[in-house]
Amino acid sequence: MSDLNQLKYQQGMTLLEVLIAVALLSVIAVMAYASLFTLTSSNQHLAETVERINQENTALALFNQDIKMALASANPGLQKKQPDFVADSRSLLLQRLNPMQEVPRHGLINSVKNKPLAVLAVRWFVRDGVWYRATRSAAATQFAAWQERPMMVLSHMQCQYLNFNGRREEFWPPEQGPVSSLPKSVHCTLRFENNRQIRMHITPWQQIW
């Protein structure tokens, strides 16, 4: 009799209990998947945000450096084929030292070919919602190809150029008034897709000297 009672209390799980256990495990699995998906999406969004911020910082730092390092024709090695700094409200063209090329000991001019070795022509402009930086040697002809590099997404660029009378010009060189090789300072407003704006005020180092 005791053996029968023992067998009675050693019965397995009922079908209802199995179904409840399966349902609970399914709920736990769904919650775990949702949490994992959310975490993965958050990590991806964070990575994209970090990449975008890095692109913006790189572009802004390079734009700032290009204008600060702008050269005037009074510097050795620059050929007076065109104005040293040409710009309108949405683009600019300047010449600067090439940071990737060593400056010769005897100056910027190659005594054999009489061409600037370490001077780089740089263009900044917006095309199809993308901010571009284009470069080529300052010794190149006007027909030489530019090496264009997309820097970041940018919906709008608006720049003005301060002359020595304290007036902001939409174009450089200005059509009227006293003209210098470089503007006294450059004032730009950059607008991004999410309507964020950045205002930059940059003074070429030669104007500080």
Side-chain angles (χ1 to χ4, degrees):
M1 187 70 179
S2 59
D3 293 338
L4 293 176
N5 290 333
Q6 187 176 1
L7 289 174
K8 179 180 179 181
Y9 291 104
Q10 289 180 351
Q11 291 179 353
M13 298 176 61
T14 65
L15 178 60
L16 180 60
E17 291 172 335
V18 171
L19 293 176
I20 292 175
V22 171
L24 290 175
L25 290 175
S26 300
V27 171
I28 294 173
V30 169
M31 293 177 63
Y33 175 79
S35 300
L36 182 61
F37 179 79
T38 301
L39 180 61
T40 303
S41 299
S42 299
N43 289 339
Q44 183 178 359
H45 178 70
L46 179 60
E48 292 174 352
T49 301
V50 170
E51 182 180 3
R52 175 180 56 79
I53 292 175
N54 288 338
Q55 286 180 343
E56 291 180 2
N57 289 339
T58 299
L60 296 175
L62 196 54
F63 182 70
N64 180 75
Q65 185 185 62
D66 282 345
I67 294 177
K68 283 186 174 181
M69 295 294 293
L71 296 174
S73 57
N75 287 268
L78 285 180
Q79 298 174 333
K80 195 63 176 179
K81 296 179 180 179
Q82 60 182 15
D84 305 318
F85 193 102
V86 181
D88 56 33
S89 60
R90 298 184 180 182
S91 64
L92 57 87
L93 167 64
L94 56 87
Q95 300 184 77
R96 61 157 293 175
L97 289 179
N98 186 353
M100 303 301 295
Q101 192 166 359
E102 182 179 358
V103 179
R105 293 181 180 179
H106 56 278
L108 298 178
I109 298 181
N110 184 323
S111 58
V112 178
K113 297 182 179 179
N114 195 32
K115 293 182 179 179
L117 288 177
V119 180
L120 194 67
V122 181
R123 291 174 56 210
W124 285 89
F125 59 94
V126 178
R127 184 177 65 205
D128 298 330
V130 178
W131 201 21
Y132 284 88
R133 181 180 187 260
T135 59
R136 71 182 181 189
S137 170
T141 66
Q142 61 179 339
F143 303 105
W146 290 87
Q147 297 181 354
E148 295 185 358
R149 175 187 172 188
M151 300 302 299
M152 67 178 186
V153 176
L154 189 70
S155 60
H156 184 70
M157 172 182 176
Q158 182 75 29
C159 292
Q160 294 179 320
Y161 310 93
L162 189 69
N163 64 22
F164 281 86
N165 288 336
R167 177 181 176 182
R168 292 191 181 187
E169 305 284 352
E170 298 290 335
F171 300 90
W172 195 271
E175 296 179 355
Q176 298 179 351
V179 178
S180 63
S181 296
L182 302 174
K184 187 175 182 180
S185 60
V186 178
H187 303 257
C188 292
T189 300
L190 308 177
R191 185 177 300 118
F192 302 89
E193 285 184 329
N194 53 7
N195 290 327
R196 286 190 305 115
Q197 287 189 357
I198 292 180
R199 290 183 171 87
M200 304 184 70
H201 307 279
I202 310 168
T203 301
W205 283 346
Q206 285 192 332
Q207 302 297 17
I208 298 176
W209 299 342

